[in-house]
Amino acid sequence: MPRQDDHVNQVGGTADQVFDAIHELMHLYRARHHGDAAGAGGLPRMEQKTLGFFARHPGATQSDLVAHSGRDKGQVARLIAGLRERGLLEAEPHEADRRSVRLRLTPEAQGLHRAMKAQAGRTAKAAVAGLTQGECEQLLEMLARIRANLEPDAD
């Protein structure tokens, strides 16, 4: 009986080649998406990502960002302090923990985030140009299967 990795080799590539291709695609996507600093008010990539986190999780805390990003506390604290100083994040006291604050995007940051999302949409459309709806759906199904293989309970 053929092994699953034999099947991968039969369809034109090795598992390593698949992940190398995914890795290269993500680098190209990120370079194009985050590289358009003008659309993000000249913000560096980590600041763009931080605003994106608080846009998706309004009222989250610095600790929430540390847990989500895997970055060290000091780096996140400096990042948040810089965004607050520039008027892009606002803080309100955490009702259950006075040592902590909940963070939200300011109206200016909300505008920047909308511009970043628009740029992401343009980049995504450019990336899949020439693919049919069916091909996009098939690709999503294959990526979902790969993800399921890698999730902790897949073993």
Side-chain angles (χ1 to χ4, degrees), residues 62-63 66 70-79:
Q62 179 175 311
S63 295
V66 168
R71 303 279 179 177
D72 76 41
K73 291 177 186 179
Q75 180 183 22
V76 169
R78 288 186 298 278
L79 188 60

Side-chain angles (χ1 to χ4, degrees), residues 91-155:
E92 61 186 41
H94 191 296
E95 57 283 346
D97 181 359
R98 292 181 187 240
R99 298 169 299 161
S100 184
V101 294
R102 294 192 176 279
L103 298 159
R104 296 186 188 286
L105 300 185
T106 63
E108 179 184 353
Q110 290 171 7
L112 285 173
H113 185 257
R114 281 191 297 276
M116 290 185 305
K117 283 187 71 154
Q119 174 62 27
R122 289 188 296 274
T123 302
K125 283 181 182 177
V128 298
L131 296 180
T132 67
Q133 179 73 24
E135 289 170 328
C136 288
E137 290 170 5
Q138 184 179 21
L139 179 58
L140 286 170
E141 288 172 15
M142 289 186 285
L143 291 171
R145 287 181 10 215
I146 291 171
R147 181 182 179 133
N149 290 340
L150 293 174
E151 291 190 348
D153 59 352
D155 295 332

Side-chain angles (χ1 to χ4, degrees), residues 16-59:
D16 288 342
Q17 288 172 318
V18 169
F19 280 92
D20 285 347
I22 290 170
H23 182 78
E24 288 175 21
L25 283 172
M26 286 309 301
H27 273 289
L28 288 170
Y29 173 82
R30 286 183 179 129
R32 188 160 175 183
H33 171 58
H34 294 293
D36 183 15
L43 294 176
R45 182 169 174 244
M46 281 305 301
E47 291 182 358
Q48 291 179 42
K49 290 178 75 166
T50 300
L51 290 183
F53 174 80
F54 288 108
R56 290 185 308 277
H57 307 283

